Structure formats: C-alpha cells, structure tokens
Amino acid sequence: MMKIYNTLNRKKEEFVPIEANKVKMYACGPTVYNYFHIGNARPFVFFDVVRRYFEFRGMEVVYVQNITDIDDKIINKAIEDKSTFQQIAKKYISAFVEDTAKLGIRQPDYQPKASDVIGEIIKLIKQLEKKGYAYEVDGDVYFSVEMFKDYGKLSGKKIDDQKAGARVEANINKRHPADFTLWKKAKAGEPVWKSPWGEGRPGWHSECVVLSQKYLGSETFDIHGGGVDLVFPHHENENAQAEVLSHKPLANYWMHNGFINIEGEKMSKSLDNFFTARDILKEHDAETIRFFFLSKHYRSPIDFNREIMQESETAVKNFYTALKLIKYDASRAKKEYSESLLSKKEEFITAMDDDFNTAKALSVMFDLVKIIKNPKEELEEREITADLLVELGRVLGFFSDLEGKLSNDLGDFSEKLLKIIINLRNQAKIDKNWALSDMIRVELLKEGIQLLDTKDGTKWEIK
RNA sequence: GGCGACAUCGCCAAGUGGUAAGGCAGAGGUCUGCAAAAUCUCCAUCCCCAGUUCGAAUCUGGGUGUCGCCUCCA
C-alpha cells in the first residue's frame, strides 16, 4: 500500500488513484526569467523520482509540468536586458530544458506554457465572474475569497486571522485584502491580450488550473506538487478557482517539498548565496546533486554546503566502485534475484511506498553495495546483486549513463602509450627510483588517470 | 499576531511502542617502496522535565531551541 502525505489533510494517506493503475500528476514548473536555482531543482528532481517510481510500480503516468512565461519578473527582466518578454522567455525555456536534461530529469509528458492557453484562462475567469466569484474593478479582475467558504482549507489558514500584524498589501480596489488577481490590466509597454475587461494579462494562479485540467483531461486529477511556499497562496488560489466551478478539489493529493538552505541560511539574492543549477552542474555531477536531494526526505528542509556535496559525491562513487570491482556489464543482466535479494527489493519498495522515503531507499542500495563488494560471496550472486542495484538505482534516476561511467576506454593509441609509460615507470620502480615513479603517477593523475599498484601488477582507471 | 514543521553519533540521515539502519569522516588490521584502491574490525540510547506503558527516540503534557509560511518565491 502506498502512502502519501497530503497537505490537504496534513497526514499520510493511502494513495488511491482515480483510475486504477493510472496516475495523473502535475507539478509547478519554472517562471522563465532566469536560470533556475538549486532550490527550484529539488522539486524537479523529486517529482521526476515520483514519476519513475510509479512507473516502476507498474502504473501508467501522465506527468504535466507548466512553464510560466507571463509574469512580472519576466517583464522586468526584459526591461533590464533591453529585450522583449518573448525573447527572455524563449531564452530561459531552452536553458531550462537543457539544464533539466543535464540533471537527468526526464521530460514531462506535457510541458505547456501559460501563453498557450490565454483564451482558456479568459474563459475560466468569465465563468467565475458569471457565478459571482469574481469581480472587475477598472480593468482588473479579482477572485472574491469570501465567496468561497472553503477558502484556506489547503493551507490551513482562516482569512480573517491574517489581518493582525500581517503584511497585507493595501489595495483599495479589493473587497477583501486576500482577494487575488485573476486578470491584470495592462500597463504601458507590457504584453497584452484582448479580453472582455479590456487589454491585459492573466494573473498567476489561473494558468495551472487550465493547464492541469486540459492536459490531464479531467477536473480532478491525482497529484499536484510543488515547493512548500506554493501552498499559500498559489495552490490555495488554484484550488479555490477549480473547486468553485466543479465543486470538487483540483487534485486529490497535494505534495510539497521542503526548502533548501545555503549553509544554514535562506537562499536569497541579497545574501549573495544564490546558486543556479547551471553553475552547480559545472562543479558537481548530476548524480551527486541527485544524491544530495534524495539523501533526505523530500518534505524536510535541506542544507546545501560544500561538505555535504563532497559527501554525496563520495557516496555516489561507491556505487560505481562496486560495479567496477566486478566489471559489471548491464547487458548481461539476468535479474534472477535470490530470495534474500527479493527481500531487499521489498525493503526498497516499502521505503518508497511510505511517502517516498528516498533516504531509506538509498540505504538499501548501500546494503547491496556491501554484498557486491564482498569477496566471500559467489561472483554470480554479486553480479545479480549488481543487477538489482542498477534496477533500483534507475528508479531514483541514477545510472543513466552506466556504460560511460564504467568504461575505461581511452582509445587504442592512447592505451598503447599508457602501457609504455607504465612499463617505463615499472622499470623506475625496479631501480628504486621512487621520485620518478611517483612523478609519473602524479602527472597521470592530473590527466585523470589513476594508477593502482596491485599484486597483479599496475592497473589504471579513468577517474 | 495567526498557522505549521523540526530537534537521533564529529557531520548528513532512517527509524512513529519492543530494545538505535545507512552514508561521510575517524581509529585499527591486511596489502604496499610510498600512495591509491580494495577488504575486515571498531565507533550513539535519541534537546530537557514530567506522565502513560511490562516496555518510548517513538504516545501525552509542559519547557527550551531551530526553521518555514502568512508578500513575488521551489
């Protein structure tokens, strides 16, 4: 039985999809005004794992992720860069696609943009207006939160509690301070679309309603995900719009990942501790980043720092060390698991079934690593254990380039040269010319080739 | 002011009633010219206090501390 923590009820619940063996999931994607940062990357990676896991469990998954390409931040960036909002959006959409691919994140089934569905958003707002949940003031259209008696049920907020001490913007046009914008009247120089309320653009909270329902094909779908900060107001506001019209929640399960801190502090531009995924990818392997995310439960906050990345890198290396040790060849995978391995697989499934306990799942992988490395085990058992390690690892998004990572291929000519160098070094060793032999080893290491003096002679591997 | 989360070895982190997984780091052994790699072994009673229970890291109450949301934000 799979359990998922549902923000809506603030507890773990059994996951029952609307249609048997089919999961319809939607996760909020990026606003394309910049390269996305490490904090954005967490939900992208996590929901990628969620999707992979459902598939591993034999379910058909439809995964939709939107791209917000209409937004104040994009407009501001365009002004700053003396560009147009279309150009900015285009640039960062392609960067987004590129970077997520580098992170080993599979493309969602659909990745629609807000600008694709302006007509449908207008239709949605018109329906809300017709039912009396939306009102227009001078070209702006607002959603009236007081009209929807369940407003606040997702985030657990009562709108009237928000007044005292809260930082609520003063907007004399709003009937209630918590009312949110559905349609924004255009200001000079902004992108505009024609609407019944004049020229303007949609507010942020409507696009997800339209896109999710459209591409998932139903008023209610199974899972809606995003960062915790989206619970309020974004998801609350999405749900309010949908529920007012359909009298059903937008999604049955709402999943929210925790934040990333940078060396114990909140990431922010003013603290100058703002890291884009693109920059981090220059220093760390995608799998190191993935391990870092998955080493802690997705709902917990996680701290990003140099040490933790180093630890993650070493840990991931361990997987490959084990596979290299037995010269693992994925093409020979048999997956004929022994009983004890099947129980390990079961352990992995139990962990993941329990609200995606990836940290526990990783520990099962290390149990397997231990078996693979154990020279006392039968080689065949070690190989089959490696099959399982790879199978489970792939569920978490590891081992996407297994061949490349395991290969020790320099090309014929280079290998011949290397052999000559090793022979020369061995002669130096025989002469006890340690200075020379150590120098050769150090120089080769600088080029990424690690020499290993073993009982059976000198071996080498690409680092 | 309102709402919520969290507190487990030096660090990271599982564990939600039955006697503390795993990773990193560290110590020691084997191997070795040295190094690396590999391998074996060792390494915590769970923020504080009170309570429930045969039994609690796990449940309840009260502290203390850290953090998040309430404003654009993953």
Side-chain angles (χ1 to χ4, degrees):
Chain A
M1 180 173 85
M2 258 187 103
K3 282 186 168 179
I4 291 180
Y5 181 90
N6 192 351
T7 305
L8 194 57
N9 301 316
R10 254 138 286 170
K11 58 182 182 220
K12 276 189 210 171
E13 297 177 339
E14 183 182 354
F15 176 69
V16 183
I18 296 164
E19 285 175 54
N21 289 320
K22 185 164 179 176
V23 183
K24 295 179 177 186
M25 56 185 276
Y26 182 93
C28 286
T31 300
V32 283
Y33 71 106
N34 200 343
Y35 300 114
F36 65 87
H37 56 68
I38 182 73
N40 297 302
R42 165 125 97 151
F44 299 163
V45 169
F46 174 66
F47 288 104
D48 178 60
V49 170
V50 169
R51 172 205 209 176
R52 288 170 191 260
Y53 184 66
F54 277 125
E55 288 176 354
F56 169 70
R57 297 286 263 127
M59 304 178 97
E60 183 194 335
V61 179
V62 187
Y63 178 29
V64 178
Q65 180 187 47
N66 71 303
I67 292 175
T68 301
D69 63 345
I70 305 168
D71 182 271
D72 285 346
K73 293 191 290 290
I74 300 171
I75 294 165
N76 291 338
K77 178 78 174 171
I79 294 166
E80 198 182 298
D81 287 8
K82 297 191 172 61
S83 179
T84 65
F85 92 102
Q86 289 95 333
Q87 281 170 332
I88 294 294
K90 198 174 163 204
K91 174 179 173 185
Y92 291 109
I93 286 170
S94 61
F96 166 71
V97 171
E98 213 175 280
D99 294 347
T100 47
K102 274 192 207 148
L103 280 168
I105 295 163
R106 283 170 50 204
Q107 282 260 143
D109 297 301
Y110 300 97
Q111 208 161 41
K113 304 189 290 290
S115 64
D116 295 337
V117 290
I118 302 291
E120 280 130 304
I121 292 173
I122 290 172
K123 215 167 107 191
L124 171 78
I125 299 171
K126 267 160 74 178
Q127 279 176 284
L128 290 169
E129 197 179 32
K130 199 172 156 195
K131 286 210 170 188
Y133 289 93
Y135 58 93
E136 184 211 335
V137 181
D138 188 28
D140 286 330
V141 182
Y142 301 102
F143 182 96
S144 174
V145 296
E146 285 166 309
M147 292 291 295
F148 177 48
K149 63 176 185 351
D150 277 344
Y151 189 80
K153 75 171 180 181
L154 177 66
S155 55
K157 293 183 191 308
K158 298 187 201 83
I159 48 175
D160 292 327
D161 289 346
Q162 303 299 314
K163 289 175 184 170
R167 296 164 284 180
V168 179
E169 67 183 289
N171 183 332
I172 49 164
N173 288 335
K174 288 185 182 179
R175 291 179 189 166
H176 187 281
D179 287 355
F180 58 90
T181 309
L182 296 166
W183 188 263
K184 259 184 187 174
K185 184 180 173 177
K187 295 193 203 108
E190 288 183 352
V192 294
W193 286 267
K194 286 204 172 78
S195 82
W197 315 281
E199 292 197 324
R201 60 195 161 96
W204 177 36
H205 309 300
S206 299
E207 65 180 67
C208 288
V209 179
V210 168
L211 291 171
S212 59
Q213 292 181 333
K214 176 174 178 176
Y215 288 94
L216 293 172
S218 53
E219 286 177 332
T220 299
F221 49 93
D222 296 301
I223 294 174
H224 191 130
V228 267
D229 55 321
L230 295 182
V231 176
F232 190 89
H234 188 230
H235 289 167
E236 188 72 60
N237 292 351
E238 283 180 32
N239 187 248
Q241 293 173 68
E243 193 154 343
V244 151
L245 295 179
S246 70
H247 305 291
K248 289 181 292 194
L250 218 213
N252 286 143
Y253 301 86
W254 296 75
M255 296 176 69
H256 298 278
N257 64 274
F259 258 35
I260 288 183
N261 293 316
I262 308 291
E263 285 167 19
E265 286 180 307
K266 184 173 172 168
M267 175 164 58
S268 75
K269 282 183 176 158
S270 56
L271 284 170
D272 197 27
N273 61 359
F274 194 87
F275 296 101
T276 65
R278 180 163 280 218
D279 283 341
I280 291 170
L281 273 165
K282 285 177 194 156
E283 289 186 37
H284 301 283
D285 192 271
E287 297 195 336
T288 300
I289 298 170
R290 188 172 281 261
F291 187 95
F292 160 66
F293 287 141
L294 300 183
S295 65
K296 192 157 178 173
H297 188 91
Y298 74 92
R299 278 187 282 118
S300 305
I302 188 168
D303 196 59
F304 176 84
N305 56 61
R306 188 167 225 90
E307 296 75 52
I308 193 74
M309 293 310 284
Q310 186 52 53
E311 287 176 14
S312 302
E313 189 177 318
T314 313
V316 171
K317 210 174 117 193
N318 238 276
F319 295 147
Y320 289 104
T321 306
L323 295 176
K324 277 181 182 172
L325 187 68
I326 59 162
K327 299 196 165 47
Y328 183 69
D329 180 357
S331 66
R332 289 199 310 242
K334 292 198 204 84
K335 298 190 180 180
E336 288 162 359
Y337 303 134
S338 61
E339 211 151 291
S340 67
L341 284 181
L342 283 174
S343 84
K344 278 292 162 198
K345 186 171 178 178
E346 205 47 53
E347 216 179 296
F348 177 91
I349 290 171
T350 304
M352 290 297 283
D353 271 0
D354 183 15
D355 196 28
F356 304 95
N357 190 340
T358 52
K360 172 78 181 159
L362 285 172
S363 82
V364 175
M365 287 177 64
F366 283 108
D367 290 344
L368 299 178
V369 164
K370 207 165 194 172
I371 298 170
I372 297 168
K373 283 180 170 176
N374 187 350
K376 287 178 194 144
E377 284 285 349
E378 298 273 342
L379 183 61
E380 195 182 347
E381 179 67 7
R382 293 163 76 188
E383 279 173 348
I384 292 171
T385 305
D387 290 344
L388 182 58
L389 177 71
V390 170
E391 184 186 0
L392 300 183
R394 284 192 167 141
V395 175
L396 300 181
F398 294 101
F399 306 132
S400 53
D401 177 30
L402 196 55
E403 237 172 86
K405 285 263 171 61
L406 294 182
S407 93
N408 229 12
D409 194 358
L410 279 180
D412 257 7
F413 183 66
S414 299
E415 278 191 31
K416 280 179 194 158
L417 277 182
L418 186 58
K419 227 167 229 169
I420 292 168
I421 294 170
I422 289 173
N423 285 339
L424 289 172
R425 176 167 171 274
N426 283 338
Q427 187 56 52
K429 282 175 67 181
I430 291 165
D431 299 340
K432 296 199 192 297
N433 186 349
W434 309 128
L436 178 60
S437 68
D438 287 354
M439 189 184 97
I440 291 171
R441 189 169 63 199
V442 168
E443 291 299 320
L444 283 174
L445 189 59
K446 280 186 195 162
E447 298 305 322
I449 293 165
Q450 170 97 59
L451 291 189
L452 311 163
D453 291 329
T454 73
K455 269 183 287 195
D456 313 318
T458 303
K459 292 181 178 170
W460 59 274
E461 62 180 42
I462 301 171
K463 272 204 96 175

